[in-house]
Amino acid sequence: MQHRTRLRSRTTTRPTTTSRLATTIRTAVIATGGVGLALLTVSPAAAAPVATTATITAPATATVGDSIEVALTLPATSDVFAYQIDVAADADAVQVVDGSATGPDGGFDALEQDGDTVSLLHTRLGTSPAVSGDLAASFDLTATSPATVDLAITSVTLVAADGSTTTLTDPASTTVRIAAVPTPSPTPTTGPTGAPTADPTAAPGGTGGGSGSGTGGSVDPVTDTSPAPAGGALAWTGADLAPWIAVSVALLLAGGGLVVARRRASRAAAAEDAR
């Protein structure tokens, strides 16, 4: 006996598929609604960090090459876990000093310069509590060119431990006038304090009290134009010394001969007496 396979009606298959799809959509909607409700429940509990104002101070004047300390203060803060403070500064006149950023103890500080904007960043370490009270930070700039530089806080962003943020846009500013390095003036030199010397251009026969070619006939050594002797030689008078040198040599030879003759005579007399 053969059994025929019973075919299901299409009208019964469609409602089953539709009901499953509806159940899936309903579940997704319920889940999404639950997440949204949870978020709405958590949001009112998130406490944004508190800060109302900021101040900036720096030296009023500086010279090219000087280091300029920029001090920033956020008074009466609460629940600050991280922050970013942007300061406008002329990059043609000042440059940041790497590693000069400071902030509250128990955190990490970083300093960045992007064009004319200097950003000071701070975040607490994992075990450090959020900051409350007066928040003090600073960084250093190097003066590179003469200018009048306006240092202005353009933005302050505070982040709480739960991720909520507070932003301050009320600017605070200060001005630094940078001067060029002064050029040292030359030191005047003074002449010797000794007695005045005779004028080498004066004529030997002038009317002064010198010993020119007047009555005495002597030559002024300052104005004497006769050729000087060679280095190390005696002064040359213009006389011929050759005859005098020959006579002197002859006299020396004669004197030497007399001395030798006397010595021989003395020896002969001594020998005669000895006999």
Side-chain angles (χ1 to χ4, degrees):
M1 182 177 177
Q2 295 181 351
H3 296 280
R4 295 181 179 178
T5 302
R6 183 177 296 180
L7 300 176
R8 291 185 178 182
S9 174
R10 293 182 179 179
T11 57
T12 59
T13 303
R14 286 181 179 176
T16 302
T17 304
T18 303
S19 61
R20 289 179 180 177
L21 180 60
T23 302
T24 303
I25 294 173
R26 191 181 302 111
T27 302
V29 170
I30 293 174
T32 304
V35 172
L37 181 61
L39 292 176
L40 292 176
T41 305
V42 172
S43 296
V50 176
T52 57
T53 186
T55 63
I56 180 172
T57 59
T61 59
T63 303
V64 172
D66 288 351
S67 179
I68 303 171
E69 182 181 7
V70 181
L72 308 170
T73 303
L74 304 177
T77 64
S78 177
D79 194 24
V80 177
F81 191 82
Y83 61 78
Q84 176 175 334
I85 304 175
D86 294 334
V87 178
D90 185 359
D92 294 332
V94 292
Q95 293 291 324
V96 298
V97 178
D98 293 336
S100 63
T102 65
D105 294 336
F108 174 79
D109 300 281
L111 190 62
E112 298 177 354
Q113 184 172 14
D114 184 8
D116 292 337
T117 300
V118 177
S119 298
L120 179 63
L121 302 97
H122 174 91
T123 182
R124 311 296 291 162
L125 300 178
T127 57
S128 300
V131 177
S132 296
D134 293 344
L135 189 156
S138 69
F139 61 90
D140 293 340
L141 299 172
T142 299
T144 58
S145 179
T148 298
V149 181
D150 293 327
L151 302 175
I153 298 177
T154 58
S155 177
V156 178
T157 302
L158 307 176
V159 182
D162 59 9
S164 57
T165 62
T166 296
T167 301
L168 304 178
T169 57
D170 186 17
S173 63
T174 188
T175 300
V176 180
R177 291 177 175 83
I178 302 174
V181 177
T183 303
S185 57
T187 303
T189 57
T190 58
T193 57
T197 58
D199 186 0
T201 61
T207 57
S211 55
S213 59
T215 58
S218 61
V219 178
D220 189 348
V222 177
T223 59
D224 186 11
T225 58
S226 59
L234 296 177
W236 180 55
T237 61
D240 187 5
L241 300 181
W244 297 100
I245 294 174
V247 172
S248 298
V249 171
L251 292 175
L252 288 175
L253 293 175
L258 291 175
V259 171
V260 172
R262 287 184 179 181
R263 287 183 179 178
R264 289 180 178 178
S266 298
R267 290 178 181 175
E272 189 68 26
D273 293 340
R275 291 178 183 177

